[in-house]
Amino acid sequence: MSEVLTTPAVLILLGPPGAGKGTQARMLEERFGLIQLSTGDLLRAAVAEGSPAGLAAKAVMETGGLVSDEIVLAILKDRMAKPDVQAGVILDGFPRTAGQAAALDGLLAESGQDVTAAISLEVDDEAMIDRVAGRFTCAHCGEGYHDTHKKTAKAGTCDKCGGTEFKRRADDNAETARERLRAYHAETAPLIAHYDKLGVLRTVDAMGSIAGVAKALRTIVKSATE
Ligand SMILES: [Zn+2]
């Protein structure tokens, strides 16, 4: 089922790896006809299209450099002027810093817009670490298990195929998960502060069901665009 928003939305979705950001963004796209714009996709498309900003990005990337905020903003501006984004956008991977957020505010202001909502998917860090850390899979059939949440019925034997060898991914450990979350919080803290100050920060408890989180997001998006 799709719905039409009263005014176009510019959404920023924030959430650590494992919070379900990708899934929720896709559901918002389907529901409201929004388009998710990720920095990587934007750059690739602009380079392929050969727009002036795309060519500038290409020149920088060919030398192995980082594309400047100015170029990214120019590409974003071109993209947001296209007719398929009339319902609005979900930005992914940009802004990453408070400086980029301020630059985005300036760009939107040129066309009388502003950020509709910056939505932070909040997770319980320890629960997330526990979820990731205990994962293992059957080496034979690939069935997924978890040390505490989904054990094999018979210790050391796969329920599905009877295999007795299991694999653990090297990065599925508590230390790596904790480090990823630490990096996420450090990176997003300035953005959260920026949008909180503007009064457009919203938070959603992302530990609930996918459907429950999706419902909370829809409510936020609808009330923010009224
Ligand atoms: Zn198996």
Side-chain angles (χ1 to χ4, degrees):
M1 196 184 96
S2 66
E3 287 179 71
V4 179
L5 293 171
T6 314
T7 53
V10 178
L11 302 178
I12 291 159
L13 214 48
L14 303 167
K21 202 169 60 156
T23 303
Q24 294 297 340
R26 272 194 299 281
M27 291 170 83
L28 285 172
E29 285 187 301
E30 281 171 23
R31 183 75 172 211
F32 298 117
L34 302 171
I35 301 232
Q36 185 177 15
L37 300 178
S38 83
T39 315
D41 292 345
L42 276 172
L43 286 172
R44 274 188 291 278
V47 168
E49 195 178 84
S51 67
L55 292 175
K58 187 177 178 212
V60 176
M61 289 191 286
E62 277 172 355
T63 63
L66 274 180
V67 179
S68 68
D69 291 352
E70 288 72 23
I71 295 175
V72 174
L73 277 169
I75 288 172
L76 184 60
K77 186 180 178 180
D78 289 347
R79 185 66 186 84
M80 286 182 68
K82 296 199 172 174
D84 64 331
V85 300
Q86 67 196 91
V89 294
I90 306 166
L91 298 181
D92 177 18
F94 189 93
R96 263 194 207 288
T97 65
Q100 289 179 348
L104 174 66
D105 293 340
L107 170 72
L108 292 171
E110 286 174 23
S111 52
Q113 287 179 285
D114 44 31
V115 169
T116 311
I119 308 169
S120 171
L121 298 178
E122 306 268 296
V123 300
D124 176 338
D125 283 11
E126 288 310 313
M128 290 288 291
I129 290 162
D130 172 64
R131 216 187 256 182
V132 169
R135 289 198 294 219
F136 63 97
T137 56
C138 170
H140 183 63
C141 74
E143 180 71 1
Y145 294 99
H146 190 279
D147 288 334
T148 45
H149 308 303
K150 192 189 169 194
K151 297 181 192 176
T152 55
K154 187 178 161 211
T157 306
C158 176
D159 296 354
K160 260 202 159 168
C161 73
T164 54
E165 277 177 56
F166 297 90
K167 287 190 295 192
R168 280 176 198 269
R169 276 174 45 176
D171 60 352
D172 275 0
N173 63 64
E175 217 169 296
T176 310
R178 188 165 281 122
E179 178 52 33
R180 272 199 299 256
L181 282 164
R182 196 204 58 75
Y184 168 77
H185 289 305
E187 186 176 281
T188 46
L191 288 178
I192 298 218
H194 179 89
Y195 291 115
D196 192 19
K197 212 166 120 190
L198 291 180
V200 294
L201 179 69
R202 301 288 180 271
T203 58
V204 169
D205 176 3
M207 298 306 286
S209 68
I210 290 176
V213 174
K215 189 172 177 227
L217 287 173
R218 287 199 301 272
T219 304
I220 288 173
V221 171
K222 280 201 272 189
S223 75
T225 50
E226 267 169 10

